Amino acid sequence: GSLFLGESSNEEKVKNQKNQASSQNKAQAPTEGMVPPVAFTKMLTPTGYSCEACENLEDEDCIVVLDHALSQMKASERLSLELKMLENKYDCGSSVSDDMCLSYLDKAYSSIDDQERLSLLVKSCYKGELKIVPLISGAENIAEVAATVAIPKVTEAVEELASTHFHRSCNGGCSTEKVSLAEAKNEWMHRADVMEVATQKVVYGNLTSDEIRGLFTKFQEEFDRSYDEKEEVLRFDIFKNNLKFIDALNRQNPLAVFGITECSDHTEAERSKRKMSQRWSDYDAMKASLPTEVVEAAAAGPSHVVGKTFDVSPHLWERGMVSWASEDDCAACEMFPGLGQYNTSFLPEQFDWRKLGAVSSVKNQKYCGSCWSFAAVQDIEGVHFLATGNLTTFSEQQLIACDERNYGCDGGWMYAAMQYIADFGGIVPDYDYPYKGIYMNYEEPTPTCDQDLLNRKLEENGRDLGHISGFQMVAMGGEYERLMETVLLKNGPLSLAVNANGMEYYVRGIIGCETIAGKDYCNSATIDNHTPCDPTALDHGVLAIGFGEQENTEYWTIKNSWGEQWGEDGFYRLERGNNKCGVANMVQHSVFKKMEAKL
């Protein structure tokens, strides 16, 4: 049977219900002189109009009604909504009035493909941004109005306008009595979710010195800090500098809250202990460790690698083959057949593997840069669950102590860890080889591998042993994010490397800026430039377990390995669709290997 997962978008709901409507309920687009069909008339009468009424109309009728509803809005409201629907792609020059700018936006908006425009309109209608109003109550006039509200295509005219009038900042020079373009572009600040998050943020820079001292005292009590007199002076200075850093993070991320955490008295060097060293976080080094043929093909775009297998012998991978995932792969379909319907063109708005049992409890790597092992192991846990029905917690310690391709607390690469497990023959459960959880410096040696334990477990080959045949590449660049969504949904959580700058102070919300506030704000002087999220410094290994959308802001749901007290119960959300923090630069996934277990 089918399985309902997540919530399909409203536009998908409308489209599906319209397609299922019987032929006698189908409405033809009214033209002058025609008596409008009942369904179309009902939608436009004062007592019967609503977003849901579009479900009884064909696409061409629905778009006529919604286009007209947009045309009836106040100029300032229409300017704001069209700018939002066009995703801030167009700016008017300072010499252009708002009226003229609105005219340009009207033409740009009308040039969009009909289906895309209908999708934007329906979504705006359901969100309450676009209100359907009755056209004219008399049925004899509806046909006349409907025949004239459809806006003609003006693609060539828009391209000409774009070359001369768009893509120049307003700089406050296009204000009119109705509305300024700058105000329209800052509409995001009035979003309900942005305003709600803003109320949860503390601006530490506005506090007095006594209030800062009070916060430090409270921090010491809450996190059981005890310093001698000299160290307390040092730690207080570090604490104050970190508050400035937190303020910058809060400005940079309109939908996320950053605050005082257990790391608030730590230096940058101390915070880095939970991340991979530069040797392992450098994106170029990661790519250099992979076969050149694969890296070069990936750089040419998804069409050059998706679904393909590369023979890379001889290479450090003993098996000599590297494959790339495709939207047709579906390791989850045996357990969840309904997932087979999805592809890169059709995905739910919300999806979360926690709800389906493929994600183990949150772990804590402590002050060791072993994040790579947690990401790789938890990827395998999901694959094992989908193949066997058993969610087994596997051993990170096996990788840290025994995987000689990687380097314990200094760092490592998830694909190399997966290759080690495939070559060795399996990974043991955490309860057989538990994580040490001790503080380790990079200078300390990697823990000794308990080879006897591993050999014994391998010989027993119990059902709790994790087997994989290797790994697949999933993404190596921002253009692969849509594929990431599909592969995650159909094959389980994905291990990936990401830049974790500032994550120590994350409390809740969606990390990101550009898809929320636009590039102008995010790159402006109001944003402190010392908090970059460098997509080429991938210093943290994590697990993507789902995706979602909040008020038109798309995000990834990611499992961290810093304990349940961190973030949103050990998880966080990251802006999706613009390769935020390099989230799509190095994504890989393990492939299950079926074995005959000994009883």
Side-chain angles (χ1 to χ4, degrees):
S2 63
L3 177 70
F4 178 75
L5 294 169
E7 297 181 1
S8 296
S9 64
N10 287 317
E11 55 265 39
E12 290 170 357
K13 174 184 173 186
V14 170
K15 184 175 181 180
N16 291 337
Q17 291 183 345
K18 290 203 295 285
N19 290 338
Q20 296 168 3
S22 61
S23 58
Q24 59 265 33
N25 289 330
K26 291 182 178 178
Q28 300 298 318
T31 58
E32 189 169 3
M34 289 178 56
V35 176
V38 175
F40 192 76
T41 306
K42 180 181 178 181
M43 186 170 186
L44 304 177
T45 59
T47 57
Y49 62 92
S50 67
C51 296
E52 288 77 7
C54 239
E55 297 170 6
N56 296 320
L57 303 180
E58 289 294 297
D59 286 4
E60 58 265 31
D61 297 336
C62 186
I63 199 169
V64 165
V65 174
L66 296 179
D67 267 337
H68 184 267
L70 182 66
S71 72
Q72 298 302 298
M73 294 177 70
K74 293 180 180 179
S76 59
E77 295 173 342
R78 194 166 88 249
L79 175 62
S80 296
L81 183 55
E82 287 187 2
L83 191 63
K84 183 174 184 178
M85 289 197 296
L86 291 167
E87 300 178 333
N88 296 316
K89 292 178 181 177
Y90 300 104
D91 291 337
C92 298
S94 58
S95 62
V96 178
S97 68
D98 279 5
D99 286 341
M100 185 62 71
C101 182
L102 182 56
S103 175
Y104 296 154
L105 290 175
D106 281 340
K107 292 174 182 178
Y109 157 79
S110 67
S111 71
I112 298 173
D113 176 78
D114 284 346
Q115 285 299 318
E116 182 180 357
R117 192 162 90 251
L118 178 60
S119 175
L120 292 170
L121 287 165
V122 170
K123 179 176 286 189
S124 297
C125 185
Y126 272 91
K127 292 169 66 176
E129 299 165 343
L130 176 65
K131 304 290 186 182
I132 300 178
V133 296
L135 297 177
I136 301 175
S137 59
E140 68 276 7
N141 292 320
I142 294 175
E144 180 180 351
V145 174
T148 60
V149 295
I151 306 174
K153 299 289 185 181
V154 287
T155 304
E156 293 182 1
V158 170
E159 290 177 353
E160 181 181 353
L161 287 168
S163 66
T164 56
H165 295 290
F166 294 154
H167 306 297
R168 289 189 287 129
S169 62
C170 184
N171 294 324
C174 48
S175 175
T176 70
E177 293 182 359
K178 292 183 179 181
V179 64
S180 70
L181 185 62
E183 290 173 344
K185 289 173 63 177
N186 289 334
E187 181 193 11
W188 65 270
M189 294 182 179
H190 304 289
R191 280 174 45 170
D193 55 348
V194 172
M195 291 191 293
E196 172 61 25
V197 169
T199 65
Q200 302 170 23
K201 298 183 180 186
V202 177
V203 182
Y204 297 104
N206 292 342
L207 302 182
T208 66
S209 57
D210 288 342
E211 288 171 327
I212 296 295
R213 171 59 73 174
L215 286 177
F216 185 60
T217 300
K218 183 179 179 181
F219 165 81
Q220 290 175 275
E221 295 171 352
E222 183 173 350
F223 294 100
D224 195 26
R225 295 291 201 269
S226 179
Y227 319 108
D228 60 34
E229 184 176 349
K230 183 177 180 180
E231 184 182 11
E232 181 163 342
V233 173
L234 172 64
R235 292 295 173 181
F236 185 45
D237 285 340
I238 296 170
F239 181 82
K240 288 186 291 185
N241 284 331
N242 287 338
L243 293 186
K244 296 177 183 178
F245 185 24
I246 294 170
D247 277 345
L249 290 167
N250 276 322
R251 290 193 298 271
Q252 180 76 49
N253 298 274
L255 283 178
V257 176
F258 293 82
I260 295 173
T261 66
E262 65 171 343
C263 294
S264 296
D265 66 341
H266 287 178
T267 64
E268 184 174 354
E270 290 170 333
R271 296 196 305 271
S272 70
K273 295 296 183 182
R274 294 202 290 188
K275 304 172 188 175
M276 294 185 285
S277 69
Q278 185 175 0
R279 170 189 174 186
W280 296 94
S281 64
D282 182 73
Y283 187 36
D284 288 335
M286 290 183 186
K287 291 187 291 186
S289 75
L290 289 167
T292 302
E293 178 185 353
V294 177
V295 175
E296 290 179 349
S303 63
H304 294 266
V305 292
V306 171
K308 297 182 181 180
T309 298
F310 297 84
D311 185 350
V312 294
S313 300
H315 192 263
L316 66 87
W317 312 126
E318 296 175 11
R319 299 176 188 270
M321 306 293 285
V322 173
S323 65
W324 206 287
S326 81
E327 65 176 346
D328 297 324
D329 298 333
C330 191
C333 281
E334 184 173 347
M335 183 177 289
F336 303 111
L339 295 178
Q341 67 180 307
Y342 294 111
N343 53 52
T344 52
S345 300
F346 174 57
L347 291 170
E349 285 188 357
Q350 310 280 341
F351 186 82
D352 193 324
W353 272 114
R354 288 175 294 185
K355 297 179 180 179
L356 297 179
V359 183
S360 62
S361 60
V362 174
K363 306 176 185 182
N364 193 342
Q365 68 187 74
K366 301 194 176 178
Y367 288 94
C368 166
S370 55
C371 51
W372 59 274
S373 67
F374 284 80
V377 163
Q378 291 171 122
D379 183 296
I380 297 169
E381 289 172 355
V383 167
H384 184 79
F385 167 77
L386 292 174
T388 68
N390 299 317
L391 183 61
T392 304
T393 302
F394 292 121
S395 171
E396 292 84 14
Q397 192 66 25
Q398 178 181 342
L399 289 176
I400 295 169
C402 307
D403 179 5
E404 295 181 354
R405 289 191 179 123
N406 292 308
Y407 206 74
C409 287
D410 191 42
W413 297 320
M414 283 77 79
Y415 49 83
M418 292 172 185
Q419 191 66 41
Y420 154 78
I421 293 169
D423 293 343
F424 178 73
I427 184 166
V428 303
D430 179 69
Y431 52 75
D432 280 328
Y433 204 170
Y435 185 65
K436 297 297 184 182
I438 59 175
Y439 185 96
M440 302 180 192
N441 293 318
Y442 291 156
E443 293 78 17
E444 293 183 3
T446 299
T448 302
C449 177
D450 191 342
Q451 197 66 49
D452 291 340
L453 167 68
L454 297 182
N455 290 338
R456 185 173 69 253
K457 293 297 296 184
L458 197 63
E459 176 65 25
E460 294 172 357
N461 194 24
R463 294 185 182 276
D464 57 358
L465 194 66
H467 295 285
I468 59 172
S469 60
F471 69 94
Q472 284 184 319
M473 293 304 300
V474 178
M476 201 179 289
E479 62 270 33
Y480 291 85
E481 274 199 79
R482 190 67 172 176
L483 176 66
M484 277 178 63
E485 298 171 36
T486 310
V487 174
L488 180 151
L489 182 145
K490 298 176 75 171
N491 297 276
L494 303 176
S495 62
L496 58 92
V498 71
N499 182 277
N501 188 36
M503 275 176 54
E504 296 87 355
Y505 305 115
Y506 172 79
V507 177
R508 69 182 73 87
I510 302 171
I511 296 174
C513 186
E514 287 189 5
T515 66
I516 302 163
K519 291 184 178 180
D520 286 351
Y521 170 82
C522 300
N523 296 329
S524 69
T526 60
I527 299 299
D528 196 313
N529 61 10
H530 80 276
T531 62
C533 197
D534 186 352
T536 65
L538 305 177
D539 55 8
H540 197 43
V542 292
L543 188 76
I545 58 96
F547 52 82
E549 182 176 327
Q550 175 182 304
E551 294 294 328
N552 230 20
T553 297
E554 297 181 336
Y555 60 82
W556 293 104
T557 303
I558 296 175
K559 182 184 182 184
N560 198 6
S561 51
W562 290 350
E564 293 181 348
Q565 293 73 35
W566 177 88
E568 297 179 329
D569 298 322
F571 297 81
Y572 73 106
R573 288 174 289 162
L574 181 70
E575 190 175 29
R576 174 165 56 99
N578 62 346
N579 198 19
K580 182 66 177 178
C581 300
V583 68
N585 277 352
M586 191 57 65
V587 186
Q588 54 276 295
H589 188 51
S590 56
V591 179
F592 181 76
K593 182 178 182 180
K594 189 174 183 179
M595 303 285 287
E596 293 295 329
K598 295 182 179 181
L599 300 178

